[in-house]
Amino acid sequence: MLVQTRRHTRHPRLPDQVTLLHGPHQIIGRFILLADDAARRRGVYLSLEDDFDALLELNEANRRHWHPLAPSFDPRYGAHAGNAFWICGRNEDGEPVLTQVVRHFDMRNTTLAAELEKLRVFYGDPERQSAPDETCATSAPTARKITGSVVYSGGTWFRPDLRGRGLASIVPRLGRSIALSRWNTDHAFSLVLRKLVEKGIPRRYGFRSVEYAVDWRNSAAGAHLEFALISIAQDDFVFDLETAMVLH
């Protein structure tokens, strides 16, 4: 359970929680430090979390301005400390004010398109956990090319009073940086509604490719959700980190 107390007295600083294992250590390490510092200058104190029951509880407590947690990031459907982590940002009073979730998938013997269409991106046990008539289809060409070590970046939430401070350009990149170091990721992706694409969210989050469409039908989330597949490969992401070092 998340205890709402002063962050700097009860929660470790995020850079102290990260062990660099893979990728270009100098670039990743420097970006993590800069991102953490940029968040702190905006009044947000970041920590790395692996308690997904706490994430679910936080989501349910903030439903007025946060949609229900996607099943990919929900502990009831397979998200856990072994395959995922989340970033929590707290204000000076220790109140959680932002989240970013990263879920890892081993797709060495499959593709993202296949995993979406088999609903395994959403559920640990699709046969048991999905609705009888639930389907997902994708016509996004890159979905059939994404394979290997893959992460789904999502669960992004900013409490309304934190919006407009530039954190959307910092925190998603930070999550993908930690994932690259932890799992040596080949690709990162997210699923974004068209209205958010039109607002420029993919570019703000640092993704390079935007393709339509991923059509998810008859799920608990809605009768028909049309997403854009946004994605970035490892080499492009490392280059993006280098160019994003000018955080301010």
Side-chain angles (χ1 to χ4, degrees):
M1 180 175 179
L2 289 173
V3 179
Q4 292 191 357
T5 185
R6 294 190 70 84
R7 188 262 175 220
H8 59 270
T9 61
R10 290 294 301 272
H11 302 282
R13 188 169 180 173
L14 185 144
D16 296 333
Q17 298 177 277
V18 178
T19 301
L20 299 178
L21 299 175
H22 302 286
H25 290 190
Q26 185 174 0
I27 294 171
I28 295 173
R30 183 164 179 255
F31 181 84
I32 289 173
L33 289 171
L34 285 173
D36 181 70
D37 181 67
R40 290 169 73 88
R41 285 188 279 111
R42 289 162 171 80
V44 178
Y45 302 87
L46 303 176
S47 63
L48 200 57
E49 309 287 342
D50 61 12
D51 184 342
F52 280 84
D53 290 326
L55 176 65
L56 181 61
E57 179 183 342
L58 180 61
N59 174 257
E60 292 174 344
N62 289 276
R63 196 57 59 77
R64 286 186 300 111
H65 39 72
W66 188 4
H67 55 72
L69 201 62
S72 307
F73 310 124
D74 190 321
R76 297 170 296 185
Y77 298 106
H80 55 77
N83 63 19
F85 64 83
W86 59 287
I87 295 169
C88 183
R90 297 174 176 86
N91 63 15
E92 287 283 356
D93 295 321
E95 300 168 332
V97 293
L98 70 80
T99 64
Q100 170 71 29
V101 191
V102 179
R103 171 80 184 270
H104 179 252
F105 294 92
D106 182 352
M107 297 187 188
R108 287 175 294 180
N109 298 312
T110 184
T111 66
L112 175 58
E115 297 306 288
L116 285 167
E117 291 167 0
K118 293 176 182 178
L119 301 175
R120 289 201 290 250
V121 166
F122 306 111
Y123 308 108
D125 186 352
E127 185 173 342
R128 180 176 61 85
Q129 295 172 327
S130 65
D133 56 349
E134 186 172 346
T135 63
C136 184
T138 179
S139 55
T142 298
R144 306 196 181 279
K145 301 175 183 177
I146 292 177
T147 187
S149 178
V150 179
V151 293
Y152 182 4
S153 172
T156 309
W157 167 68
F158 300 99
R159 205 171 70 176
D161 58 306
L162 262 291
R163 295 170 187 170
R165 298 193 189 183
L167 289 160
S169 296
I170 298 169
V171 179
R173 285 180 169 91
L174 179 58
R176 297 198 302 274
S177 297
I178 297 168
L180 172 56
S181 179
R182 182 177 292 192
W183 292 302
N184 196 23
T185 49
D186 298 301
H187 300 272
F189 77 93
S190 192
L191 303 175
V192 179
L193 294 171
R194 186 182 291 270
K195 63 181 181 181
L196 297 179
V197 172
E198 292 171 353
K199 291 181 179 180
I201 290 296
R203 181 173 295 277
R204 201 174 306 162
Y205 286 3
F207 284 96
R208 293 293 184 89
S209 172
V210 180
E211 294 180 347
Y212 289 97
V214 175
D215 291 290
W216 188 20
R217 299 178 184 271
N218 304 315
S219 73
H224 176 209
L225 295 175
E226 183 198 43
F227 296 106
L229 171 65
I230 63 176
S231 62
I232 191 165
Q234 183 183 127
D235 288 347
D236 286 337
F237 177 57
V238 171
F239 178 76
D240 174 74
L241 286 187
E242 291 181 290
T243 57
M245 292 291 186
V246 291
L247 291 174
H248 55 82

